[in-house]
C-alpha cells in the first residue's frame, strides 16, 4: 500500500496558526515541501529572504528525514508542522527512523569534506535558522527549527 501526501488546512487559534504536511518517504516528495511552504506564504506573506531561508532549511530537513531517517521506506511517513505565532515560526520535521547523533555529523568546512557531494544539510539548517534542535523518540526523530520574525506588531 502506497501512502499519499496530505497537506492539512491551516488551524488557527488566537495566538497561532498551524500548517501540516504528511508525506511518504519517497525522494520524489521533496518537491512537495516547496508547494507546502508556498501555501504557508500565501497566508503569511514572507519576503523573498525569509522564504529562501525557510525553503532551503525545510527541504534539507525533509530530505534527511526521507533518506537518512526513514531510509526511503515509502511505508514510513515524514510529518512537517509549521507553528506560527506573532514573533516566530517553528518548523518541526518528524520521521519514523532510528535517529542519529548530530554531534557525529562531519564538519562540511573541513578540508577533507569540501569536495563531498553530501553532508551539508545540518550545517545549512543551523546557518539559516535562528535555532535548530534534534530530538530522538522511541519511534522516530524530530528536527525542530525556529526562525524569529524581525517585525513585531
Amino acid at each position: 500500500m502506497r501512502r499519499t501526501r496530505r497537506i492539512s488546512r491551516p488551524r488557527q487559534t488566537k495566538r497561532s496558526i498551524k500548517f501540516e504536511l504528511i508525506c511518504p518517504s519517497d525522494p520524489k516528495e521533496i518537491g512537495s515541501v516547496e508547494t507546502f511552504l508556498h501555501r504557508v506564504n500565501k497566508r503569511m506573506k514572507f519576503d523573498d529572504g525569509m522564504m529562501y531561508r525557510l525553503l532551503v532549511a525545510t527541504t534539507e530537513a525533509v530530505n534527511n528525514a526521507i533518506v537518512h531517517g526513514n531510509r526511503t521506506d515509502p511505508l514510513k511517513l515524514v510529518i512537517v508542522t509549521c507553528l506560527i505565532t506573532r514573533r516566530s515560526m517553528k518548523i518541526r520535521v518528524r520521521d519514523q527512523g532510528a535517529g542519529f547523533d548530530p554531534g557525529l555529523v562531519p564538519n562540511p568546512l573541513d578540508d577533507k569534506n569540501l569536495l563531498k557531494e553530501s553532508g551539508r544539510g545540518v550545517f545549512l539548517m543551523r546557518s539559516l535558522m535562528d535555532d535548530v534542535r534534534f530530538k530522538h523518540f522511541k519511534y522516530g526523530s524530530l528536527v525542530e527549527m525556529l526562525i524569529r520574525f524581525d517585525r513585531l506588531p
Side-chain angles (χ1 to χ4, degrees), residues 25-89:
S25 293
D26 181 339
K28 294 177 185 172
E29 292 293 332
I30 297 295
S32 65
V33 173
E34 185 171 0
T35 302
F36 172 69
L37 288 175
H38 281 296
R39 180 175 280 184
V40 172
N41 194 38
K42 190 173 187 179
R43 180 84 173 257
M44 301 308 300
K45 299 183 180 8
F46 296 129
D47 63 28
D48 290 344
M50 177 76 74
M51 264 309 286
Y52 172 79
R53 292 171 64 192
L54 293 171
L55 185 59
V56 173
T58 308
T59 300
E60 289 294 339
V62 171
N63 182 63
N64 285 348
I66 289 172
V67 175
H68 302 294
N70 290 344
R71 305 277 186 223
T72 64
D73 179 348
L75 297 178
K76 292 184 177 179
L77 297 174
V78 174
I79 301 168
V80 182
T81 306
C82 293
L83 186 63
I84 303 165
T85 66
R86 288 178 6 164
R87 296 178 186 236
S88 66
M89 178 173 178

Side-chain angles (χ1 to χ4, degrees), residues 61 64-65 69-70 79 83 90-103 122 125-126 131-146:
N64 285 348
N70 290 344
I79 301 168
L83 186 63
K90 192 176 287 185
I91 301 145
R92 294 181 177 130
V93 179
R94 186 165 187 162
D95 64 47
Q96 296 175 317
F100 75 106
D101 181 351
V122 172
M125 285 184 263
R126 287 181 169 150
D131 188 39
V132 178
R133 296 171 192 243
F134 299 91
K135 298 178 183 175
H136 180 67
F137 302 95
K138 185 174 182 180
Y139 298 106
S141 296
L142 174 75
V143 175
E144 192 171 79
M145 302 178 288
L146 179 74

